[in-house]
Structures are given as C-alpha cells and as structure tokens.
Amino acid sequence: MAVISLASGKKFSTFGSESIFDAAAKVGVNLPYSCKTGRCSTCKCKVLNGQSVATVDELGLTSEEKAQGFILSCVRRALTDMLIDVEDLGDQVIPEIKTLPTRISSLERLAPDVLSVKLRFPPNTPFTFLAGQYIDVIGPGGIRRSYSVANAPASDNQLQLHIRAVQSGAMSQYWFDQAKLNDLLRINGPLGSFFARPLNGLHLVFLATGTGIAPVKAMLEQLATAPLDKQPLSATLYWGGRAPQDLYADPSEWHPSFRYVPVLSRAPGDWTGARGHVQKALLCDKSDWANTVVYACGSDAMIQSAKTELTQVSLPTKRFYSDAFVPSGM
C-alpha cells in the first residue's frame, strides 16, 4: 500500500497495480482525465515527492515535462508514498457512469466527411451528463469508439454526436455506409473532465479544430441559459480548419452573443477571415492573460502547441483545459 497526498491536503491509498487515478476515483477524489490510456495530457500532475512507475508509455508528455517531474495519473502506479500537485475537481458532482441502450433517431451529413448522429434512450431512462463530456459508443461486433457530446443536456434526453470519417476505420464504415434510423447501439458514459469550471470574472476562450467543436457547442449552449452570476466577462470562439467546408456549422445558433473567429490554415485567396492556426490567431489578439481561461479541443498537435505558447505569454497553467482527440484503433 502507498499513500498519495495532494498539494490541496487530500489523501488516499493505492493498492497493488491500480493506477493513481483509479485509486483516487475509488474514494471519491475526482482527478481530471480524458483518454485514460496515457496518450493525452489531461491527467497530468507534478510529483513533489515519492516514486512511481508508468505501466505504458506516457505519450501525452513531452520530454521536457518528464524531466520536470510530470506524470500521467491514469497510467502511473505508486511505488512509495507520494506528494503530487494536481487540481482535483473539488465538490463538483460528477454524473454516474452507466452503460445504456440507445437507438439512432437521426442521421445528417454536415460536411462530406462529417456526420451528425442523434441518439435517443428508452422511455423513462434519464441520462445525466455535463456539457463538454464524452461517451463511448459500442457498435456492431463490440467496436468501441469515443465521441464528445455535441449538445447541452436537454428535455428530450437525446445526445448529438459529430463524427468525422476515418479512412478504413471500422466504426467509420458503419456510420457512413451502414447506419440507419432505429439501429440499436449501447453507450457508456458520461466520461471525461472537460467541462466548464466557474467562469465569473474571467474572459472565456474556446479553441477548436475540426469536430473538436462538438463539446464547445455543448458548453456554449449551456452558457446561453446560465444565470448572470455564472457568466464570464466575455466569450470568444476560435474554430479552425483547413478549408471553408471544414467549418461546417453556424456557431451563432448556439449562443446569442459571443465573438466568433473562424480560422483557416489553407485558406483560399478570397478568404477574409483569420489565417493559420487557431492558437496563433488568439495570440495575435491582445488579451488579459491573468484573467483568461482557455478550453481547447481538437487535434493533439494543436493542444500541445497552444498549451506551450499560451503559458509562455503568462496564461496561468491551471487555466488551460483541454480534450485532445487521440487516434483509436482502426
């Protein structure tokens, strides 16, 4: 047994081969997470004292971060008592994870390679989640893939997903070639800790690439109905793609009043919007970094670059939240 102490003062014990994250979850200490496979960096924490071992390669950490003492709690096993610095989620109530049956209620092509899918639950089967979280969809043959929920909780108790085609992907072949209305699937969730923390007194910035817009859409929808004391000082969305068709939705439909900056990295000659990468577009805008919070979702390359560049201009490290879309098995 090893005792894990957090810089906040909380403590919990680990036993055998369980990960630091799993040990914390068993006793109700909610640590941030996303992929739980060591490929993103959402569960990153810094070791202040003690020893641990990685059970798989921590692909979500740079060599510099490893040298500075950072680890990923989802794939680390404690060898000794440890003191770690990580932001736990405090008193935030995390909805219970469930496995439930669903049926496809709609299929809509949003772009040549992006599909909107809506899932409905059986009558009198509520599903509780926080805007920004994701689910695992269990499809034909037990294929399992993760998708962010693209809507805020609503009275119809349905979930919307934005699904991008993956060449030769088994689940993509199902979604784009075989899926039909009323197909029976299972979902497991809600999962992840990508959801809004208190925003009052802060400038809110969203960075999204591709279908990383899905959880941002959900959070903007929820923000549109939030009371005044839960509103940020301002809200800005930077949504990036390569070509105009990659920006496949109209964000003005999700929230009545926020600033939207579309960004294209391979913009045509007549493009009048921002060019390059979303994080560069943000950096070109002057900002009150000390009072800014950033939520980034999309490619891992964008997130790693954004995290590095924004913290270099004095964005507080603990005000950068992310959900990286990391490749799954084909």
Side-chain angles (χ1 to χ4, degrees):
M1 182 187 80
V3 176
I4 309 298
S5 302
L6 306 186
S8 65
K10 294 183 179 179
K11 295 183 179 182
F12 56 91
S13 298
T14 68
F15 298 87
S17 60
E18 67 183 348
S19 70
I20 293 171
F21 174 85
D22 288 338
K26 280 173 54 177
V27 295
V29 176
N30 296 315
L31 301 182
Y33 78 99
S34 183
C35 74
K36 293 183 70 175
T37 60
R39 294 178 297 166
C40 75
S41 60
T42 303
C43 69
K44 183 178 73 173
C45 51
K46 187 169 187 177
V47 176
L48 303 179
N49 192 24
Q51 300 293 320
S52 64
V53 62
T55 56
V56 300
D57 191 8
E58 293 169 299
L59 299 176
L61 292 177
T62 65
S63 56
E64 292 80 7
E65 287 172 327
K66 292 177 181 178
Q68 292 167 7
F70 286 98
I71 62 171
L72 300 180
S73 68
C74 73
V75 294
R76 276 277 170 171
R77 178 171 60 86
L79 298 176
T80 67
D81 291 352
M82 298 181 68
L83 173 62
I84 60 176
D85 185 14
V86 61
E87 178 200 20
D88 71 84
L89 303 180
D91 297 328
Q92 172 69 55
V93 177
I94 308 298
E96 179 186 358
I97 298 172
K98 301 177 180 179
T99 299
L100 296 171
T102 62
R103 289 191 183 273
I104 296 176
S105 60
S106 76
L107 294 161
E108 178 187 1
R109 192 68 66 99
L110 300 178
D113 61 346
V114 177
L115 189 67
S116 168
V117 177
K118 288 188 178 179
L119 303 175
R120 71 177 187 274
F121 295 95
N124 303 314
T125 306
F127 181 75
T128 304
F129 66 98
L130 301 174
Q133 289 189 290
Y134 72 92
I135 61 169
D136 281 352
V137 175
I138 305 167
I143 302 171
R144 190 182 189 112
R145 296 291 184 269
S146 300
Y147 303 100
S148 294
V149 179
N151 62 281
S155 58
D156 65 3
N157 196 37
Q158 294 198 50
L159 305 180
Q160 181 187 25
L161 312 177
H162 290 182
I163 298 170
R164 184 175 296 280
V166 176
Q167 187 174 9
S168 302
M171 198 64 170
S172 284
Q173 290 175 3
Y174 166 72
W175 287 125
F176 285 84
D177 301 330
Q178 302 165 16
K180 59 187 183 300
L181 297 183
N182 292 319
D183 275 5
L184 179 64
L185 303 165
R186 289 182 297 147
I187 67 100
N188 177 253
L191 302 166
S193 56
F194 189 65
F195 48 78
R197 277 62 164 179
L199 298 169
N200 189 259
L202 296 172
H203 297 285
L204 170 63
V205 174
F206 290 113
L207 298 178
T209 55
T211 53
I213 197 65
V216 173
K217 173 180 179 290
M219 286 191 274
L220 280 170
E221 288 178 348
Q222 186 172 69
L223 187 63
T225 61
L228 186 61
D229 64 351
K230 296 187 182 298
Q231 295 287 342
L233 294 173
S234 67
T236 305
L237 164 63
Y238 297 82
W239 184 17
R242 294 181 177 178
Q245 62 264 30
D246 293 331
L247 309 182
Y248 53 79
D250 180 3
S252 66
E253 298 176 355
W254 311 331
H255 191 288
S257 57
F258 70 100
R259 180 170 172 248
Y260 170 43
V261 181
V263 186
L264 293 182
S265 61
R266 300 180 184 176
D270 60 352
W271 176 254
T272 58
R275 295 170 179 264
H277 297 128
V278 288
Q279 65 272 25
K280 297 294 187 183
L282 170 57
L283 287 165
C284 287
D285 288 344
K286 293 183 179 180
S287 185
D288 178 9
W289 298 113
N291 294 300
T292 296
V293 60
V294 175
Y295 288 82
C297 186
S299 70
D300 186 56
M302 180 275 286
I303 287 174
Q304 295 298 332
S305 175
K307 179 172 60 176
T308 298
E309 295 185 50
L310 292 174
T311 52
Q312 286 176 349
V313 295
S314 301
L315 176 77
T317 303
K318 292 186 177 180
R319 290 217 186 107
F320 183 89
Y321 300 99
S322 64
D323 189 11
F325 285 6
V326 293
S328 59
M330 299 300 286

